[in-house]
Structures are given as structure tokens and as C-alpha cells.
Amino acid sequence: MASSGYTCVQNQDSSTEKDRLLSSVAKYGSQDHVGGGGPHPSCLVASDSCHKHEHEEEEAALRRKLKYFFMSPCDKYHAKGRKPFKLGLQLLKIIIVTVQLVLFGLSNQMVVTFREENTAAFKHLFLEGYQDDVPQAVHTQEEMYSHIHFAIEQYMAIPDISLGRYAYVLGVGVNGSALSLCQRYFRRGTIDPVNDTFDIDPHVVTDCVGLNPPTYGSAPGNTDYKNFTLKFYKLINVTVDFQLKAINIQTIINNEIPDCYTFAITISMDNRAHSGKVKISLQNQATIRECKDTNVSGHAESYARVLFDVLVAIVCMLSLVLCGRSILRGILLQREYVWFFKHKLCRSVNWEDRMEFINGWYILLIISDMFTIVGSFIKVGIESKTLSTYDMCGILLGTSTLLVWVGVIRYLSFFQKYNILIVTLRAAFPNVIRFCCCAAAIYMGYCFCGWIVLGPYHTKFRSLSKVSECLFSLINGDDMFVTFAEMEKSGTLVWVFSQVYLYTFISLFIYMVLSLFIALITGAYDTIMAQTQDQVCITNLHAFIAECTDTPSSGKFRGPEGSSCSFFCCCDG
């Protein structure tokens, strides 16, 4: 390795000597014999030896710099005496980010529980004969009118019958009313099953009537809903829309200001199929906003959570800067290493060695820091009641916490016995990806086939997403008997096909695909274990670094540049 470098140096020395001989200062000619002008052979030998010594020093310095770059935080501390502040910062970040996620999870759980419990209460209040986990439907005209009248009458009497404290929202319906009763139907529709004829104009017409609660005065036509006639022969659906207000006071338990909610409720009666069965459903969309004139006795407004979120954001910003600086240092060191090999050793550096300088763990931590910073500011907005994006905040904070904890593996990887997981995954990843691509083609084929053939007869195959969920559960051995038992025997042909379909899928994916997948991981693990016992094949980069025999505690890594080190320079780890 060094010989090629020396070859390049000797070529440079010969060209330098030629330039000296051709310069105007040199007295090239007969004076060489009398000792004037030309260099003495002993001087040339000394100059050559000097260049060789400088080259060796430069090469040794680069080896030490590379070895220090790939050291663990503990070795870096022994090498230069710099405390691993970045390691300590990551450990601190793990603690505070986890605490932040737990606090937000408790708050978000109360929000979701309050919304779900109110939705359940609305179903029992406004849907006649409602039962939990039982689909609601009507089959006669009288039942449909009864359900509509029941929902409106319950709405009118909500302050007197409900256990919760609700308030009406005016001006959100048609013509400035509080409640809207609408039916949508085809502009023209004539269906005659006797003669097997029909005449339909597909343009949809919407007919609505508005109502106001009696406590706010009777509006004109406030009882018109009883005379509201439905056009069943061309009816598409019927909707009842209104809004209610409520306050979630249980947040006081967690020392938080209560939230004010506005529930937009829609009762829908779907007759698009015209099958004689009208499905009834209730949808509830909650909007959270800041309450006005809040007053909680014995409770002083606390900014502790806001300050804690700001602290988390500051720590993550500092972590982001340090990780970004480490990546930048790696790129600069990569350029220096490539330049040295190209100009001094006349060799090229492959991409595998170049990518060694780009630490993927730092990229992972940077993504985690960005998610945490954005999530923290959203959480501050939620606690100050200016934002209500709980779901977005939960996704950001949850993902960032996941990445932070995954990043702990980076520090465990410095220990050989703990590094087996990462090394095995790295070795098996290419083969696993290729194998998954082949298995995914077969899996998608089964998904489409099951959706088309079994979808009309099995609830687990009604959509592509449900089919995928069902088949993935079967691969893991879940709900096998239930999947077989729920197959409707509507026809012998479909039933026989379903048995062949399920048996072949389970046999293929459990006994072959899943076993081969495990075999790939096991094979990579066996290969890694065999390499640890035999001679390990290392890359050119690590072979170059291995020639540096200086130990971290030798003192040779403490250069003069340490005297002018800044704060960020000390944050190694």
C-alpha cells in the first residue's frame, strides 16, 4: 500500500528535479564537474529521504484521524480526554422525550375517551332501539318515519333527558336553523318490476327543512318535520344534521384547563341499494376549542408543562446540531481520505468505503429530533388551546420516541456481544428484500382473488384492506377456524373454491414462505458466527486503519489543535 504511494512521490521528486535543472538559477553544464550550481548527489538522497519521511508522517496522521473518527465514545475520552457530552445528551433526551410522550398520552387518552363516550351516548339518545355492536336498519316505511321523528324529538328534549350537559348550536342548519332534515332523491325515477322496466334521471335533488329547539322560540314551520314526506321509490338517503356543545372537565385531574367541544352529529339513513333494507348510522365529528372565562377555584395557571416542552425542544435542537456536525465531519474526512488515496497512493476508493463515513444512526437521530421539535411546538399549541391536532402530535411524538429508543442500539453496537443483532440484520437485509418482493407477488395475487371471489360471501373479504389483514392473520396462525366457519354456504362451487383457496394459502405461506424467511435470517446469523471464529474479511478502509497501532491511551491522539477547541468540539460521543 505504501509502495504505490512512494511511487507517486518519486515521480513528483523527479519532476521537481527537472524543474530545478531547467530554471535560470541553476548553472547546468560544465560547472557540475567543478562543484558549482548543480545539486550534490548526497543532497538528492537527503531530499528524497525527507519527502519519504513527510509522506509517512502524513499517512500516519491520516490513520490516527480515521481511527479516532470510528472510535467509541469511551475510547475517544481516553484518546483526547474529551467527555462524551453527546452520549450524555442522547441519554438525557431518551428520558425527557419518554416523559413527554407519557404526559401527552395521558392527556390524549382523556380526549379520545371523552369523544368516544359522547358518541356512544348520542347513539343511545338519538337512535331508536339502539344496541351496542348491533347494526341499525329499518325495513318498513313506518319504521323509518318513526326513527326520524324519534331523533328530532330527542334533540328537542336533550336538556331534560340527557345525563351530560349539552348546549344547542344555532345557525348551522338550512335557513339559519339549528337542525336540518334532508332527503336526497333522483329527479325522476320510475321503477316497474312487473314489466321489468325503469325510467331514472340520475340527477340528485336535495329537499331540506330546518328546525329550531323550543327554548329559543318556535321558528316558522318548526313542526313541518311531521309532514315531511319521503319519496321512497326514488329515495337515495335521509340525513339529520345538528351540533351540540360540551365541556370536558375531567382534564382538571391532570392539572389542565378543561377543553370546550363542539360535536357535529349526522344521522344517516342509506337507501342507495334500494334493497328493502335502509342502514342507519350516526357520525360524530368533534372540534376542540379554547373555553372562554375559565375559572377553577384553588387552581393557578401553571406553565410547567409548557416549559418542559420548550426544554425538550431545546435539547433536541442541540442534539440535531451535534449530529449534523458529526455528519459534516464525516463528509470532510471522507474527502480527505479519497484525496489521499488518489494523489498519494494512486488508488481509487470504492463506494462501500465511502459510505462508511456517513453514519446512518446520526441520520436516524436527526429525523427523530425534527419530529420531536415539531411535535413539541404542536403540544405547546394544544396546551395553550390554540391547536387541537392531537392525532398529528401523537404521530410525531410517538415516531420520534420510537426512533430515539432504536438509536440506543448504536451505542450497544460498540460491544461485540451486543452487536450481533445489527450485524445479522445488515447481512440478511439484501436477501430478505429480494425474498419479500417474490413473496409479495404471490400474496397480492391471493388478495385480489379472495376479494373478487369470496368478498360477497365473507365479511373478512369485503375490501382489499380487510383481505390483506385476514391473510396476514392466517400467516401468523390467528382466526383460522373462525375464517373457515364464517364462510357462507351460498353455493357449492364457491364453498369448494374457498376451501381450496384457504388450504393452499395457509400451506404455502406457513410451511414454505415463512419457513424460508426464517431460514434466511438463520443463515445470516450462522455466517456471522462463523466469521467471528474464522478470519474476518475487512474492507480496504478498515485494513488501512488497522495499520495504526496507537492505542487510545497512548497520547498520540492529543494534537495541538485541542488548545483552540470550541464547545461543540468537546461534544464527541
Side-chain angles (χ1 to χ4, degrees), residues 287-348:
T287 303
I288 306 174
R289 61 188 62 187
E290 183 179 5
C291 296
K292 301 177 181 178
D293 300 329
T294 57
N295 184 17
V296 181
S297 301
H299 172 78
E301 190 170 0
S302 176
Y303 296 97
R305 292 201 176 194
V306 175
L307 293 176
F308 180 74
D309 294 332
V310 173
L311 173 64
V312 173
I314 292 175
V315 171
C316 289
M317 286 181 182
L318 182 59
S319 172
L320 189 148
V321 171
L322 293 178
C323 292
R325 183 213 58 165
S326 298
I327 292 179
L328 181 60
R329 277 188 167 185
I331 295 175
L332 295 177
L333 186 59
Q334 179 206 73
R335 292 182 176 179
E336 182 179 353
Y337 172 74
V338 172
W339 184 91
F340 182 84
F341 261 60
K342 182 178 180 181
H343 294 84
K344 299 294 184 179
L345 304 182
C346 299
R347 294 171 55 187
S348 61

Side-chain angles (χ1 to χ4, degrees), residues 47-58:
S47 176
D48 202 26
S49 176
C50 181
H51 280 287
K52 182 177 179 180
H53 180 71
E54 290 178 358
H55 173 78
E56 291 176 350
E57 286 294 330
E58 183 180 1

Side-chain angles (χ1 to χ4, degrees), residues 131-198:
Q131 297 180 2
D132 292 332
D133 300 326
V134 177
Q136 296 293 111
V138 294
H139 302 84
T140 65
Q141 298 182 11
E142 182 180 356
E143 287 179 342
M144 192 164 183
Y145 278 118
S146 176
H147 276 73
I148 295 174
H149 296 168
F150 178 84
I152 295 176
E153 290 168 0
Q154 289 288 100
Y155 170 79
M156 297 296 181
I158 192 71
D160 301 325
I161 62 176
S162 66
L163 295 176
R165 180 65 175 171
Y166 299 108
Y168 297 111
V169 180
L170 303 178
V172 294
V174 294
N175 300 325
S177 60
L179 181 145
S180 299
L181 171 62
C182 299
Q183 65 170 328
R184 293 171 181 82
Y185 53 88
F186 296 117
R187 181 184 298 174
R188 184 182 69 256
T190 303
I191 301 175
D192 188 5
V194 176
N195 299 319
D196 295 332
T197 60
F198 61 89

